[in-house]
Amino acid sequence: MKTTRLLLVSALSLGLFAASCSSDDNEGETIIPLQGKYNLRQTGTIGPDGKEVLVDATANQSGCSVDYLELKLSNAAVYGDYNGSNCALVETTGTYVRSHNDLTLTIGGVTTTSDIMNLTNKELKIKDKTTGVITVFSR
């Protein structure tokens, strides 16, 4: 009787494990929501050795708040740029579209398409498909 119960429990456990693995496949896409406000942190490229070379974002003016990208639920995008001696904020609006792991931003009439390299609750890392420039934002 013990052997029968053990076999039954083992078979059920294996069946649940196998079923959960196949139904959770998301084809490599992240399931973290894209919407949010992201602070510009780093930019860079892939070096000749295949490794990322990232530096602090030069677009962020010293002494000012960091520039940001805000992606809204309505697919509106806002790029905030703090600049000048008084750190004046200039916001440029546009739109964004996500298709799988591609992010297309149209801000100020300029359209760029990037690969989403990493998207977590704390970071958005994108790589421009045309220039290869990597941009890292944090939430």
Side-chain angles (χ1 to χ4, degrees):
M1 190 64 150
K2 268 186 166 178
T3 305
T4 305
R5 283 187 194 169
L6 183 60
L7 285 173
L8 181 61
V9 169
S10 296
L12 285 174
S13 297
L14 181 61
L16 288 174
F17 176 74
S20 68
C21 290
S22 63
S23 67
D24 290 342
D25 185 15
N26 63 3
E27 298 178 13
E29 289 185 48
T30 180
I31 56 175
I32 301 291
L34 184 60
Q35 294 79 21
K37 187 173 181 180
Y38 298 92
N39 296 313
L40 177 61
R41 293 291 173 209
Q42 296 177 307
T43 58
T45 59
I46 303 286
D49 59 356
K51 294 183 181 178
E52 292 179 10
V53 179
L54 300 173
V55 297
D56 289 340
T58 57
N60 290 331
Q61 183 171 321
S62 180
C64 297
S65 296
V66 297
D67 295 350
Y68 64 87
L69 174 64
E70 184 173 6
L71 304 175
K72 299 183 178 188
L73 191 57
S74 63
N75 285 66
V78 178
Y79 187 83
D81 180 19
Y82 293 94
N83 213 339
S85 60
N86 61 350
C87 296
L89 173 63
V90 175
E91 289 185 326
T92 307
T93 60
T95 60
Y96 75 94
V97 175
R98 179 181 182 181
S99 176
H100 302 287
N101 278 339
D102 288 346
L103 176 63
T104 302
L105 289 165
T106 302
I107 297 179
V110 177
T111 299
T112 59
T113 301
S114 301
D115 289 319
I116 299 174
M117 298 175 70
N118 191 32
L119 176 59
T120 66
N121 288 327
K122 297 184 179 196
E123 179 182 86
L124 169 64
K125 183 189 294 184
I126 57 176
K127 180 180 174 187
D128 188 292
K129 288 186 176 235
T130 303
T131 64
V133 172
I134 298 170
T135 307
V136 181
F137 298 91
S138 64
R139 286 195 202 222

